[in-house]
Amino acid sequence: MAATGDDQSGASVFDPEHLPPLVCIAGAPRCGTTSLAEFMRAHSDICFSRIKEPHFFSRFDLGALDEKELRSTVTHSYVDRFFRRTGQEALLAEGSVSYFYAAERMRPLLRIWPHAKFIVMLRDPLELLPSLHRRLLYLGDETVTDFAKAWRLNGDRAAGRRIPRTCVDPRMLRYDEVGRLGKYLSEFLKVIGRNRCLIILHEDFAADPAAVYRRVQQFIGVRAIELPEQRIHRASVGYRIGWLQRLLYRPPIITRAILRRTPKQDAVVGVRDRKWSNLGRLARKVQRQLVHWNRAPAPPIVVPAYIKQEIAELLADDVELLSALIGRSLDHWLDGTVRTRNAKTESPVPVRSVTHARRGG
């Protein structure tokens, strides 16, 4: 039976006891996850979520639910809501990058899908963090337009200060934490298990996306197809007016209810009435037009040398940990800070084997 995502009867359109296998592109942000998601969405064996990032398991703590309640909740509130099946797909897939930073929240997911698979995409923090900052500005989550100034707010934001009211997930504003890829990969592997994870570096994906896509298809167990027509997804774009951009992407609660694509049981205000539905369609049309009008070329990313040095010094140990976890030298990351630091000591830290890293936790 095909899923509608909004079953009015309350009965699930999926069999809770026999859910299809699940694959998650689990971050990190700005590492090519959107491009990979679009490639996977084009595969007829994969039912990709209606929105790329549901963030379901990172948003809700489901650990206390018993097996029956957990399965019912996940089926109705996650699978039925976010997936539409034609009946041909072999598995479900989604791309919530927040899962990478919320390893403990994945335990309920593994109770439902003990054989779930995760694709983890990583990138040099000196590239990732400024790119993330610009993306958060575009979405209305960030309001400090200068990356250097936003970086210096890490302490305030750790204490819950200087967080824009429009920000959906304040954790993404902690650039010093978001960049600790080694720390969070270590935690993720402890919960998920290495055999469930495929780790991809952004530099490899950018250099040969077709080869990476073949690896992904082999890992998740679907038939091999050629890479779909390549396009740049989430290319860097800017905006003309900041307050208008935040209003369009992070509107007030009442406006969000009107802009819903379909009526939902949990809507803040009822939108089932035909007049409200017509108003919603008109509002969405105007929203799209304003988004298009407000779009502008993104300014070049300029990170001062002293900020680069601060980031590199802060994250050098973390990059070494990441190197050990994936069994690959990342000395060229952080502008070569790790390589330079090791050279000064004249005793470079060897990259441990994957097996040794796993034993070491």
Side-chain angles (χ1 to χ4, degrees):
M1 180 181 295
T4 64
D6 293 291
D7 179 41
Q8 302 302 317
S9 68
S12 174
V13 293
F14 283 88
D15 179 359
E17 298 301 323
H18 300 90
L19 293 173
L22 178 67
V23 175
C24 297
I25 305 174
R30 307 307 292 167
C31 295
T33 61
T34 299
S35 291
L36 180 58
E38 291 303 311
F39 296 157
M40 293 173 67
R41 193 185 298 276
H43 199 300
S44 60
D45 293 345
I46 300 173
C47 176
F48 210 93
S49 57
R50 295 161 63 185
I51 61 173
K52 182 229 172 187
E53 302 185 55
H55 299 296
F56 181 79
F57 291 95
S58 56
R59 287 171 57 206
F60 304 110
D61 186 356
L62 307 175
L65 300 182
D66 61 33
E67 294 304 312
K68 183 178 180 180
E69 188 176 6
L70 174 63
R71 189 168 291 274
S72 175
T73 298
V74 169
T75 302
H76 286 277
S77 300
Y78 173 66
V79 180
D80 283 345
R81 180 178 181 184
F82 293 110
F83 296 91
R84 290 182 183 273
R85 299 188 70 198
T86 64
Q88 303 300 317
E89 301 91 341
L91 54 83
L92 308 178
E94 60 127 305
S96 300
V97 297
S98 59
Y99 292 174
F100 179 67
Y101 300 97
E104 289 297 323
R105 292 286 179 93
M106 299 301 102
R107 295 190 187 278
L109 183 154
L110 294 176
R111 286 162 58 189
I112 301 294
W113 287 282
H115 302 294
K117 295 186 177 181
F118 298 82
I119 301 167
V120 179
M121 305 184 75
L122 307 171
R123 186 179 187 179
D124 184 341
L126 281 183
E127 298 175 358
L128 184 158
L129 297 177
S131 179
L132 174 63
H133 170 258
R134 183 155 65 181
R135 182 63 184 172
L136 294 177
L137 279 171
Y138 185 81
L139 293 175
D141 292 300
E142 174 66 276
T143 56
V144 179
T145 56
D146 182 79
F147 174 69
K149 293 180 179 178
W151 171 259
R152 289 292 173 82
L153 291 178
N154 284 321
D156 282 333
R157 287 167 167 176
R161 299 187 297 267
R162 305 292 297 276
I163 297 172
R165 288 180 295 177
T166 53
C167 182
V168 172
D169 188 351
R171 292 173 299 178
M172 288 293 104
L173 297 177
R174 287 288 313 282
Y175 302 106
D176 55 336
E177 275 297 303
V178 172
R180 295 183 187 277
L181 304 180
K183 168 187 172 180
Y184 286 102
L185 180 62
S186 177
E187 294 175 359
F188 199 79
L189 294 179
K190 287 177 183 177
V191 173
I192 303 300
R194 188 176 296 273
N195 63 324
R196 295 192 182 97
C197 295
L198 174 65
I199 299 169
I200 296 172
L201 298 188
H202 179 269
E203 58 208 63
D204 296 339
F205 190 40
D208 193 346
V212 170
Y213 190 48
R214 287 193 293 271
R215 287 176 58 200
V216 168
Q217 292 175 98
Q218 182 179 18
F219 174 69
I220 64 178
V222 297
R223 60 190 174 85
I225 65 170
E226 294 299 315
L227 188 73
E229 179 183 355
Q230 295 186 41
R231 293 176 295 170
I232 298 176
H233 301 286
R234 284 195 180 171
S236 296
V237 291
Y239 51 83
R240 301 184 187 189
I241 304 173
W243 66 262
L244 177 59
Q245 187 74 6
R246 291 189 292 276
L247 180 64
L248 293 170
Y249 276 89
R250 298 291 183 256
I253 294 177
I254 185 68
T255 308
R256 289 201 296 269
I258 295 173
L259 288 172
R260 290 179 184 274
R261 293 183 179 275
T262 53
K264 293 289 193 300
Q265 298 282 346
D266 59 347
V268 176
V269 296
V271 293
R272 297 183 185 281
D273 181 84
R274 185 179 300 276
K275 292 181 180 179
W276 279 97
S277 297
N278 290 338
L279 177 60
R281 283 192 290 270
L282 177 61
R284 290 192 296 272
K285 180 179 179 180
V286 173
Q287 182 193 37
R288 288 192 297 268
Q289 291 173 341
L290 286 173
V291 166
H292 181 75
W293 177 86
N294 201 44
R295 191 171 294 159
I301 295 178
V302 179
V303 181
Y306 68 91
I307 294 295
K308 286 186 176 181
Q309 187 62 29
E310 283 186 19
I311 295 173
E313 291 177 357
L314 178 68
L315 299 180
D317 288 341
D318 186 84
V319 168
E320 288 194 85
L321 170 61
L322 180 60
S323 295
L325 289 170
I326 68 175
R328 175 172 168 176
S329 173
L330 299 174
D331 282 358
H332 58 291
W333 282 20
L334 303 179
D335 281 351
T337 295
V338 175
R339 179 175 60 249
T340 302
R341 187 176 64 170
N342 288 338
K344 287 180 179 179
T345 64
E346 298 182 351
S347 57
V349 178
V351 175
R352 294 179 293 170
S353 68
V354 173
T355 303
H356 182 74
R358 179 164 60 243
R359 285 200 299 266

